[in-house]
Amino acid sequence: MLEFIRKNSWIALAAIAAILIGFLLMDYAGKNVMGGDRFATINDTQYSYADQVELGENGTHLLGQLAGACSQRHEDLISRFDTDKDGKIDDKENAAMDPAILAKIRQNQETFAQIQNLFQIWNNLGFGKAETRVMSNRIIVRDEARAFGVYPDKKQTDTFIENLVAFQNDNGTFDTDAYMQFIGKKEGNINKEREAAFHALIADIIAWNALQAIIVDDLQINEAIEGKMLDAAQQTFDLSAARLPLAKYAPSTDPSEEEIKAYWEQNKGNYLSQERRGVTIFTIAPAENVKNDDNFRADIEELYETIMEANGRAVVKQLENASSHAGSEFTFTQETYPLAARDQMAAGLLTAIVGADKGIETMADAAFTVEDAPAPAVYEQRKEAGNADSEIKPGQMRGVYNTKDGKYAILRVNTIEKPTELPYEQAKASALADLKKKLTSDKMNQTAQELYARMEKADSLDKAFTIAKEVGADVSVIDKFPKEDDKTPEALQNSINMLLTTDTGKLAPIMQDAEGILIVGVRKRSVEDSTQNAAARTVYQFPMMENMLRQAIMKDWLIQCYGKYKVQVAQH
């Protein structure tokens, strides 16, 4: 376990944190309503948009921030012993590791895994949007915990928070400064609303753990059976491989004009103009009087919640009010950009974003994540009538984004011009390229099927791959697959399950990737019997499997509760 913790888990921890922290930057505006302000009915009690914000959106937001705090603490603890600063803990550095620090690393990892499990279950299980699901699940957990008499009191909640490694000094005492920085400030004092929301979330986490202890009890896996499953999943393979390169089957001449046009007629829906979007960027910068960056961030956090609660409407008025009140620590500017395709957006929309979701590196990227917006004519009518801002269609707001120049930005998509079908002359070049790809792929697949049928009839793998070589396939040997730094074909790396179900001495099903088709045969399979593998099973893999099984049971229990509590949510 020490080896796994030192060399692997911190990477996984940071990766998962990046996913969760992305929710800090997601769009919390643009929520739909059902029957006025009723978002869900649970056990005959109606819950509103405000409940969804408090329990669903803020809950997810705080889970993400707690994940980030755990990740940062983990990096801090590890970095103390990484003397050569190579991002790894080698044997010499490990020997110097304080046992107390190692205990904190383990405790911090357990907390992080707990956050991950809760996020996956509460965010994905149930009806409606993610924030509605989180709200519903937390309400059910609260009611069930109270029915069992295990809902925590304030003292239990405080103790849980004080024992979080993310809020502790090295000596195990509560780090008030770290906690204050996490909660943030409001008007110079600790943000009481945010603190109350965090304590409520922690109480629900404690309740979930208590319910799990009751429902799952002392469940344990059968290690003998699971060990055999791990052996099957962790075996290595010696393979023979035959590659049919895609390029080899390209047609020698271009298709005729009639063939291209016929192909376009059949697939004209694939050849469209570029979607164009018109956006407004609200840039928030620290005011001249700002001396404390922490306070500035807290001020932005407060603004973020205000805009979120207003459902993304009247954002200009909100920004004006927030920036003009006494003691405000920020100013804002706005810039509206005309309709443009993604690759033609103005330079002002290429502002880099810090720590956003994968694939969102600039404000232009963020603009193209919005799902809908009014048609151009509709938006112009609203704008001319003077109510475009107050009647913005839900789902158009994105933010708050932290930009690399030290500012914050909120993005609003004013309008979207949907793609339309291109006429033949404009689509011809693309249709020709696609038709050539199809003809090439069809020829390669036909050849592969015929070759595979011949190879299957051979009485040994050696003879089978001799046949492949004779027809021009690139034949090679791949030993001990999979292995570290494996440079085997992508098709094989994505098809390990095929090898698991292929008998030794037989051909696996045909595999394909961007470079062509791969036919492999299993010459030998083996399972490494090492001390490291045995240790990994005992201290990592078996506990992980037990935890997965517990979570599966808890999911089933929560699903049953949905019927018991007669959960109904808005449908749009």
Side-chain angles (χ1 to χ4, degrees), residues 342-355:
R342 171 65 190 85
D343 59 358
Q344 298 171 349
M345 284 199 152
L349 288 166
L350 302 181
T351 303
I353 296 172
V354 178

Side-chain angles (χ1 to χ4, degrees), residues 243-255:
R243 163 69 81 180
L244 299 180
L246 181 65
K248 181 178 180 179
Y249 300 93
S252 57
T253 58
D254 285 349

Side-chain angles (χ1 to χ4, degrees), residues 104-146:
K104 286 185 177 295
I105 292 173
R106 287 174 170 166
Q107 182 183 345
N108 200 40
Q109 284 183 299
E110 290 173 1
T111 301
F112 197 95
Q114 190 176 61
I115 296 170
Q116 181 192 17
N117 289 332
L118 280 175
F119 179 82
Q120 291 296 329
I121 293 175
W122 288 357
N123 192 67
N124 296 318
L125 192 65
F127 311 124
K129 292 186 175 182
E131 52 268 26
T132 310
R133 294 194 291 267
V134 173
M135 175 188 73
S136 302
N137 291 329
R138 289 182 66 184
I139 290 169
I140 291 172
V141 167
R142 290 179 176 185
D143 286 358
E144 286 291 299
R146 290 189 176 105

Side-chain angles (χ1 to χ4, degrees), residues 202-326:
I202 293 299
D204 292 345
I205 292 175
I206 297 171
W208 175 265
N209 293 340
L211 288 169
Q212 180 171 289
I214 294 170
I215 296 165
V216 180
D217 200 11
D218 57 350
L219 175 142
Q220 290 182 321
I221 63 171
N222 185 318
E223 293 190 0
I225 294 175
E226 294 295 341
K228 292 179 180 179
M229 293 174 60
L230 286 172
D231 283 347
Q234 294 179 345
Q235 60 189 303
T236 60
F237 302 88
D238 292 349
L239 308 169
S240 293
R243 163 69 81 180
L244 299 180
L246 181 65
K248 181 178 180 179
Y249 300 93
S252 57
T253 58
D254 285 349
S256 66
E257 184 77 13
E258 292 74 16
E259 291 173 321
I260 301 170
K261 194 161 189 176
Y263 181 80
W264 170 77
E265 286 285 357
Q266 295 172 353
N267 301 277
K268 61 173 60 177
N270 296 334
Y271 305 106
L272 307 173
S273 62
Q274 294 188 68
E275 183 174 290
R276 300 198 302 162
R277 300 197 170 198
V279 304
T280 296
I281 300 292
F282 303 96
T283 301
I284 304 167
E288 293 181 0
N289 64 323
V290 171
K291 305 296 182 184
N292 188 319
D293 192 50
D294 288 340
N295 289 342
F296 174 53
R297 287 198 298 269
D299 211 6
I300 297 302
E301 183 70 31
E302 182 75 12
L303 170 66
Y304 187 33
E305 293 175 1
T306 300
I307 293 174
M308 176 177 62
E309 291 169 0
N311 202 17
R313 294 188 293 268
V315 63
V316 174
K317 184 176 180 180
Q318 293 173 58
L319 287 169
E320 288 175 344
N321 292 340
S323 62
S324 61
H325 74 72

Side-chain angles (χ1 to χ4, degrees), residues 79-90:
S79 65
R80 301 179 192 181
F81 300 91
D82 183 16
T83 54
D84 57 7
K85 305 304 178 186
D86 63 350
K88 300 177 181 179
I89 301 296
D90 57 31

Side-chain angles (χ1 to χ4, degrees), residues 32 36 40 65 99 161 279 303 318 343 411 432 465 564:
N32 294 314
Q65 283 205 307
I161 293 172
V279 304
L303 170 66
Q318 293 173 58
D343 59 358
L411 178 145
L432 171 60
F465 283 89
K564 173 182 174 181

